[in-house]
Amino acid sequence: MRKEYNKLIRDRIPEIIHESGKIPIVKQLTQAEHFEQARLKLYEEIKEYEEANIDEESLEELADILELVYTLGKMHGADFDELNQIREEKRKKRGGFEKGLFLEEVLDHE
């Protein structure tokens, strides 16, 4: 039996498939292909997060999203620490998203 996936996978997935007695067919992506597929995978994981119904599933999907964010960050030239530093600087300047504030409009002073 054959099942096609045609998507970016985590690095140990071929090993796990092989250990299950199946044969993984993989290819090494070019840098441009890797970047494109990582972006597509991020959208896929966001969709899965939106569809998650319980906290455990949501946290699993958020972990996948975070892994892809770090991978994409590296592709843009920032490792985990640098990406986190950029996040912290933005947080200090503009805050986080914890308060649930929703900007409806901005009025000019008259």
Side-chain angles (χ1 to χ4, degrees):
M1 184 173 181
R2 175 184 169 140
K3 185 171 181 183
E4 287 189 30
Y5 289 92
N6 294 317
K7 66 179 185 176
L8 184 67
I9 55 173
R10 287 178 173 267
D11 298 340
R12 290 198 59 236
I13 296 301
E15 175 186 334
I16 293 166
I17 291 170
H18 197 307
E19 288 172 355
S20 76
K22 297 180 181 177
I23 302 168
I25 308 298
V26 298
K27 75 171 185 174
Q28 181 69 53
L29 298 174
T30 66
Q31 186 175 356
E33 289 171 328
H34 189 190
F35 181 69
E36 178 185 0
Q37 291 299 315
R39 290 177 68 155
L40 289 172
K41 186 71 173 179
L42 179 60
Y43 295 128
E44 175 189 323
E45 295 300 339
I46 290 169
K47 187 174 187 293
E48 289 176 7
Y49 171 71
E50 289 174 341
E51 294 170 356
N53 294 319
I54 59 173
D55 286 341
E56 185 178 352
E57 288 175 358
S58 296
L59 292 171
E60 288 284 327
E61 299 308 332
L62 287 171
D64 289 342
I65 291 166
L66 195 54
E67 188 67 38
L68 284 159
V69 167
Y70 291 137
T71 296
L72 287 162
K74 275 184 163 177
M75 291 178 178
H76 287 290
D79 65 15
F80 170 84
D81 291 331
E82 291 168 309
L83 193 58
N84 207 34
Q85 182 181 353
I86 293 166
R87 183 190 66 82
E88 280 294 329
E89 287 171 6
K90 282 193 84 165
R91 184 180 178 85
K92 284 177 187 172
K93 288 180 185 174
R94 303 178 68 104
F97 294 98
E98 287 86 13
K99 293 180 181 178
L101 303 177
F102 185 81
L103 183 63
E104 293 180 326
E105 60 183 305
V106 176
L107 305 173
D108 287 331
H109 288 284
E110 293 184 34

